[in-house]
Amino acid sequence: MRGAVVDGDRDVKTTHGKLEVKLPQKGDYRIDGTGDKGGIKTNLPLSIQEDSVQGTVGSGKHTIKLHTNDRLTIQEAN
């Protein structure tokens, strides 16, 4: 999943394989995600707790739910 603008809610799930997401550093969204314990990486200002990641960018108007049984990577979109 990749986007320069977050303009709505998203619910992304995979039961097999890693999940890689690229999101804008500026916007109005909230992240609620789960992944493999120790397998979550991000360069956005989000909080990682063992197998979950959460945080708000801007007002948090839109919700992005991310769920995988594998690695979860959330990066800034260029």
Side-chain angles (χ1 to χ4, degrees):
M1 182 175 136
R2 181 183 180 124
V5 176
V6 175
D7 58 0
D9 295 341
R10 302 284 187 267
D11 192 353
V12 181
K13 297 178 186 177
T14 181
T15 56
H16 300 290
K18 63 185 177 181
L19 181 56
E20 296 181 0
V21 179
K22 294 191 181 237
L23 297 169
Q25 185 177 21
K26 295 182 181 180
D28 294 310
Y29 58 90
R30 181 170 48 91
I31 295 288
D32 180 14
T34 58
D36 187 39
K37 184 176 181 179
I40 300 175
K41 307 282 188 228
T42 185
N43 66 354
L44 290 171
L46 305 173
S47 175
I48 298 173
Q49 303 281 330
E50 291 188 10
D51 64 349
S52 68
V53 59
Q54 296 180 340
T56 302
V57 174
S59 71
K61 179 179 178 181
H62 304 291
T63 300
I64 300 174
K65 295 181 181 179
L66 306 168
H67 303 283
T68 182
N69 294 332
D70 203 337
R71 291 176 291 156
L72 173 59
T73 304
I74 305 169
Q75 298 294 322
E76 177 184 345
N78 294 331

